[in-house]
Amino acid sequence: ANVDKLAAEFADELDSLGVRVANLEKKADNVKITGEIRASYRDVDGDRKGHEGNLRSRLWVNGQVNEDWSYTGMFENNQTFAGKDDEGKSLGSSGEDDVDLARAYVEGRLGGLDVVAGRYNEVTFSGNILDANLDMAKVSYGDKVKVSALAGKAFDNVDNENLDSDDRIYIASIEAALGDVDAYVAYFKTNTDMDKEIWNVGASYGFGDFTLSAEYMRGDKDYYNADKDGWWADLAWKGAEADQPGSYGIHAGYYDQSANAYIQPTTDAEYFKDGYKGWNVGASYTFAKNIVGMVNYWDMESQDGSKDAQTIFSELYFMF
């Protein structure tokens, strides 16, 4: 009875305090900082040889602008430890003092459109055609069937191996979620030292713990006297989840990729810029919450079969 009496007497004050606490909690959650540290080692054998250790540190800053818009920034530092390049030259340590603002972009809705604009890492679908850091704008419309358009240019970054800072890229795509199947078709146009126009179509199918993915790519140019088309397939079983210790996964894939059918592909393998083909196997495992390890092996050769390279790439992630 006394509690009820006090609650009635101080009802206005309690209500006001509740509002103030709610506003404080809302502001406290408005900006979040997360991080990721990756230790990796890469070893290459065959016609090209070399090895290198790397420590990459990333800090992500996420802020909510309003109910519809958010901001993301990412600071990155790379440290390269002693190793040897493909010409046998020793690599010294580098990059300890360099911290780059590698991402800075906003995401939100404008009318019925989803918008991403700013400095962004664009990985289009499988990444076999494009995985690049761009200053860009991308708009998308739809849900189960989504139509997207992107325009951007590369910026100077260690990861943009095949692109210069004045290279322009344009992409149009349609993707659809059809039950257990995700399918897409896309068109790429570049304005680089080697102008390219590339079409691709791909799909992934999930069944049980397995995911089967495949993609076909075709370019309209004829560089390096190579074929104009390429294809890729991958079969994955399960996969390591950062929040599930003991979770794991394996996968195996095959590549047959013309230089005319990619811009800058996603791969840690040693590949050949006049086109490459070969196979890949990999595994992932979560050792503890937010500690994930991965290892991949590639056996690649040039399109004409005159050169080959075998790559082992291992990495260990710490996320916080």
Side-chain angles (χ1 to χ4, degrees):
N2 288 332
V3 171
D4 290 341
K5 183 179 179 181
L6 289 171
E9 184 178 351
F10 294 101
D12 291 341
E13 288 81 356
L14 290 171
D15 286 343
S16 177
L17 179 61
V19 170
R20 290 199 298 269
V21 171
N23 288 336
L24 181 61
E25 290 175 344
K26 187 175 181 180
K27 290 182 179 297
D29 291 337
N30 192 50
V31 176
K32 295 181 180 179
I33 298 176
T34 57
E36 172 195 284
I37 296 174
R38 185 192 73 172
S40 63
Y41 181 77
R42 184 173 184 263
D43 185 83
V44 181
D45 200 3
D47 289 309
R48 295 182 179 176
K49 300 179 184 293
H51 61 273
E52 179 182 308
N54 182 273
L55 182 66
R56 186 185 71 189
S57 301
R58 288 176 167 178
L59 283 178
W60 296 86
V61 180
N62 300 94
Q64 200 67 31
V65 178
N66 55 40
E67 292 182 356
D68 296 322
W69 286 86
S70 65
Y71 168 83
T72 300
M74 189 266 280
F75 297 92
E76 180 175 288
N77 169 260
N78 282 279
Q79 300 181 38
T80 299
F81 304 114
K84 290 186 177 180
D85 63 17
D86 58 5
E87 297 179 351
K89 296 180 181 179
S90 295
L91 299 173
S93 299
S94 65
E96 288 87 345
D97 299 325
D98 298 331
V99 178
D100 298 319
L101 182 60
R103 308 278 191 279
Y105 59 91
V106 292
E107 292 180 281
R109 290 188 62 83
L110 189 62
L113 299 175
D114 294 314
V115 180
V116 179
R119 178 155 291 186
Y120 188 76
N121 177 222
E122 170 63 20
V123 182
T124 308
F125 301 120
S126 68
N128 281 312
I129 295 178
L130 182 68
D131 178 356
N133 294 316
L134 305 176
D135 290 327
M136 51 159 275
K138 180 179 181 179
V139 294
S140 304
Y141 178 80
D143 184 16
K144 291 187 176 181
V145 177
K146 182 180 292 186
V147 179
S148 302
L150 178 152
K153 76 177 189 67
F155 61 87
D156 291 330
N157 184 277
V158 66
D159 294 327
N160 282 346
E161 294 180 357
N162 300 341
L163 296 169
D164 295 323
S165 59
D166 55 352
D167 289 339
R168 264 60 174 178
I169 295 175
Y170 309 94
I171 306 171
S173 65
I174 302 174
E175 55 188 302
L178 308 171
D180 294 329
V181 177
D182 294 324
Y184 55 87
V185 60
Y187 169 77
F188 300 77
K189 167 68 177 174
T190 69
N191 180 13
T192 67
D193 289 339
M194 292 193 298
D195 288 340
K196 293 183 179 181
E197 293 185 37
I198 302 170
W199 285 93
N200 85 310
V201 58
S204 63
Y205 171 59
F207 54 103
D209 292 326
F210 290 89
T211 302
L212 177 63
S213 305
E215 186 174 44
Y216 172 77
M217 299 143 273
R218 182 171 179 82
D220 74 328
K221 304 299 183 182
D222 188 14
Y223 297 111
Y224 305 112
N225 295 318
D227 292 336
K228 293 183 178 181
D229 56 359
W231 64 276
W232 161 84
D234 185 88
L235 179 63
W237 180 64
K238 294 187 176 182
E241 301 288 344
D243 60 350
Q244 297 179 18
S247 61
Y248 58 91
I250 58 175
H251 77 99
Y254 184 79
Y255 303 78
D256 191 344
Q257 181 64 305
S258 165
N260 298 301
Y262 69 78
I263 302 168
Q264 179 167 291
T266 295
T267 181
D268 293 299
E270 187 72 18
Y271 66 95
F272 302 91
K273 292 187 178 181
D274 55 350
Y276 57 93
K277 56 185 176 181
W279 55 275
N280 157 242
V281 292
S284 59
Y285 183 79
T286 302
F287 295 98
K289 185 176 181 179
N290 294 330
I291 301 177
V292 179
M294 301 180 186
V295 61
N296 275 277
Y297 174 82
W298 289 268
D299 190 338
M300 296 289 197
E301 64 181 27
S302 59
Q303 279 276 332
D304 61 10
S306 61
K307 297 179 181 179
D308 63 38
Q310 295 79 46
T311 305
I312 297 177
F313 187 75
S314 57
E315 49 193 337
L316 183 62
Y317 288 87
F318 298 85
M319 291 159 276
F320 56 92

